[in-house]
Amino acid sequence: MPKIREMSPHLADLIAAGEVVERPASVVKELCENSIDAGAKSVTVEIKNGGMTEIRVTDDGCGMSPEDVETAFLRHATSKIYTERDLEAIATLGFRGEALAAIASVSRVELLTREPASSEGTRLLLEAGVKTDKAPVGAPVGTTIYVRDLFFNTPARQKFMKNDRAESSAVGVAVVRLALSHPEVSIRYLRDGREEYHTPGDGRLQSAAYCTLGREFAMGLLEVSNKTDSMEATGYTSTPGAARGNRSWQFFFVNGRAVKSKLLQAAVEQAYKNSLFTGRFPVCVINLKMNLSAVDVNVHPTKMEVRFSDERAAFDTVYWAVRGALEREDGPGELKISQGTLKVTGTAPRPESDQKSAAVKPRGDFFKSVSAEDYRSGKAGPKAPGERVEFRDVVKSGYQTKLDLPAPSKVRAPEAYPRYPAPKLGSGTDEDEAPAVSGTRATGETPRTDDTPAREPEEEREWRLVGEALNTYIIVERGDSIFLIDKHAAHERMLFDKLKAQKREPSAQILLTPVVCALSGEDERTILENSELLEKLGFEIDEFGPNTLALRQVPMDMDLSDPRGTLEEIAGKLRLGGKRDVEAMGDDILHTVACKAAIKAGRRSEPGELSELIEKVLSGAVRYCPHGRPVSMELTKYQLDRSFKRA
Ligand code: ADP
Ligand code: MG
């Protein structure tokens, strides 16, 4: 008896469907991309119950002829690619010719379509990929595809689906991506009969961002643009002040196609180096245009990943685009301390062009990729202090390491800058699998390792509070040194340590008026998916409206001046926490709460509060805030004397 048999086409479709159709959001993405490919000026997406029971995508595109409708549902049927050579130049959005077949094989589909030139349309019904009816009908020009009962015939997959809220918010993110990558198409999104977004389709990215990401976001954007011989980056990025607690509002498009790219993320974040604290992420919408053959978008079936033939050029184009935008935005002067001289400098100078060319000089082995094992075992991870960190490390390791780029370093430390061990940033909000990286401080000095003996038993030495400056820094004199302490950073650290030591059941405060926060779809989904854990920690959070949550109860310590920031940070941590146990996750979240509750720089503090802080800092118990910022700096008498030419 022969054992090997060919798979039935239906079985093959089901398997392919698993790749293409992961969840309702992927159906919406595929259908909308088809509509945009069909030249639609407006596309309407409607879903019910997270898209599990109904998804309907209607467009005013070119429609299909009665002969074509059935072919469209065959596997590997496409009108977009005919020869092998076409593969090199994929200008359209869809090209695998699999989407309709895959979707139809796991649902009940109704298609209505009419070409502009024909007086009559066609209606086709399929169930689990099998045609059940086809007839001519009256229909508007364009195509409507109505997908019902997704995964009705694959119950195993159905079980994998999250709750409706989570699925619809994933659909929301997919729609936002489409709207931002196609501002020329008017996109309307209705969820359970309620309109969530409606972009005007006026071709302006800003309009699309305004309609999907909100007014507040669209107003704080800086325009980004940079054109080189081979590429062009355009779009918007946020002012450093408008950064968020995670990366869910970073959108990248390559030739109009939404992509996920660590390389481009790294380019943007490097451009913000020294302007953003660890754990804060810029918001951006960046479109990179390049020769079609310079990019391979066919790396992954869901087509979100890209491979650039010249990664360095892609990185640089985006880096300089964002850097340029940030430098145009005049920042306040910063304190520059070097070798005992105090200087106030203005905005960082624009890097010279020769520095620029030094940065782009490629090395032969520059882009050799790193195996997953090497990456995990840390061989490809952050280097020992002083060792040159290569470009690829930056991309792989969470972007905190030093990059050999001429990003201007604004603060240089005096020689006697306290040399503390580098902080552990393991609790960071980086949603990607970034290993804990020692924080590269602006100072660039080599962090002292833990086994270096402490200079002296510092707790016992006397100190004197000189005063508080700018409502932010405490000035303390001790021995031959003056210490400047960042009050907020130090307090954050204290609360963080306290919480870690206590591990107690948090008590909660019920809010008389619920606090309403607007979040990105991805953050909203993450919070809602984890509502059980959050409840245990003292939160009570409800869905309030489109991408909006209402906080009804919060842990006792929580500061409510920036609830959105807190939730964003928590969402980031939750996404990161998939691999960790619930208890560790809970701790992490409480740390966020504690940090946010720390006294704000700018608020006057009680004397008792201050001396506790000073003790902790001077004793060396508090060195870095939980985000990795140093909490104090030391100016020695010798440095001051040198500045005043006394020494
Ligand atoms: P692909 O998009 O990769 O070609 P699909 O399975 O998504 O594969 O679609 C198959 C074909 O069906 C497309 O190539 C196109 O010719 C046709 N088609 C799909 N959706 C539409 C639409 N909304 N309007 C017009 N034609 C469409
Ligand atoms: Mg397609």
Side-chain angles (χ1 to χ4, degrees), residues 586-607:
D587 276 1
D588 223 6
I589 289 166
L590 288 176
H591 294 163
T592 297
V593 172
C595 297
K596 298 272 175 182
I599 43 170
K600 290 276 171 289
R603 212 197 78 189
R604 290 210 69 84
S605 339
E606 300 299 314

Side-chain angles (χ1 to χ4, degrees), residues 175-477:
V175 175
V176 171
R177 284 204 186 100
L178 287 156
L180 292 174
S181 53
H182 292 279
E184 77 287 0
V185 180
S186 165
I187 294 184
R188 188 162 169 243
Y189 171 47
L190 295 124
R191 185 178 94 172
D192 295 313
R194 254 194 335 201
E195 185 177 286
E196 303 242 327
Y197 313 120
H198 192 173
T199 63
D202 61 2
R204 292 170 58 228
L205 177 55
Q206 209 175 7
S207 315
Y210 185 101
C211 294
T212 52
L213 305 178
R215 177 177 186 278
E216 189 193 345
F217 170 72
M219 290 304 162
L221 289 182
L222 305 174
E223 199 169 342
V224 156
S225 106
N226 181 30
K227 196 168 186 252
T228 66
D229 298 343
S230 58
M231 293 181 192
E232 183 178 9
T234 53
Y236 292 93
T237 195
S238 57
T239 52
R244 299 174 74 96
N246 59 55
R247 299 198 170 97
S248 63
W249 275 13
Q250 293 186 351
F251 296 93
F252 295 99
F253 304 100
V254 172
N255 293 335
R257 179 195 297 271
V259 299
K260 282 190 178 153
S261 161
K262 296 205 170 172
L263 182 89
L264 301 184
Q265 259 174 24
V268 170
E269 286 167 21
Q270 272 299 315
Y272 279 84
K273 203 178 156 207
N274 294 350
S275 338
L276 280 182
F277 295 128
T278 311
R280 301 298 293 166
F281 299 94
V283 177
C284 64
V285 181
I286 291 179
N287 196 352
L288 193 57
K289 270 196 226 133
M290 65 185 73
N291 201 316
L292 293 171
S293 59
V295 54
D296 182 3
V297 283
N298 203 10
V299 184
H300 189 264
T302 55
K303 293 180 273 181
M304 285 292 281
E305 272 159 42
V306 276
R307 203 180 286 144
F308 301 104
S309 56
D310 187 351
E311 295 194 314
R312 186 83 221 190
F315 183 95
D316 283 342
T317 308
V318 170
Y319 174 85
W320 289 108
V322 175
R323 200 68 244 147
L326 290 172
E327 278 163 19
R328 278 194 300 276
E329 171 87 354
D330 268 353
E334 295 206 15
L335 185 68
K336 187 170 177 177
I337 304 163
S338 64
Q339 303 295 332
T341 31
L342 289 177
K343 253 189 261 162
V344 174
T345 59
T347 324
R350 201 186 163 78
E352 313 265 319
S353 49
D354 58 323
Q355 283 176 303
K356 201 165 168 177
S357 54
V360 298
K361 209 180 290 163
R363 277 190 24 181
D365 61 346
F366 229 59
F367 304 110
K368 249 199 286 168
S369 57
V370 179
S371 76
E373 282 90 302
D374 281 2
Y375 173 48
R376 277 191 209 100
S377 68
K379 278 190 212 148
K383 299 273 161 68
E387 207 177 327
R388 222 178 103 104
V389 176
E390 294 296 359
F391 178 63
R392 61 168 180 266
D393 298 331
V394 175
V395 176
K396 297 272 178 189
S397 68
Y399 331 126
Q400 305 303 331
T401 38
K402 209 164 84 193
L403 179 70
D404 197 21
L405 273 173
S409 136
K410 290 180 184 168
V411 181
R412 283 198 50 207
E415 277 163 327
Y417 194 97
R419 289 171 182 243
Y420 294 133
K424 285 250 180 299
L425 299 182
S427 61
T429 48
D430 190 339
E431 62 186 272
D432 297 298
E433 251 184 80
V437 177
S438 60
T440 304
R441 280 172 283 148
T443 62
E445 95 269 2
T446 314
R448 199 183 70 175
T449 47
D450 268 321
D451 46 6
T452 318
R455 271 181 284 177
E456 53 230 293
E458 300 187 310
E459 307 89 280
E460 279 138 44
R461 293 179 47 188
E462 279 191 7
W463 53 265
R464 184 173 73 87
L465 176 64
V466 178
E468 200 179 324
L470 311 171
N471 267 343
T472 305
Y473 301 102
I474 308 167
I475 304 166
V476 178
E477 179 189 344

Side-chain angles (χ1 to χ4, degrees), residues 30 34 80 94 99:
E30 294 292 341
N34 281 346
K80 297 161 196 172

Side-chain angles (χ1 to χ4, degrees), residues 506-510 537-539 553-556:
S507 45
Q509 42 177 328
I510 297 173
L537 299 172
F539 284 97
Q553 182 186 296
V554 296
M556 196 53 107

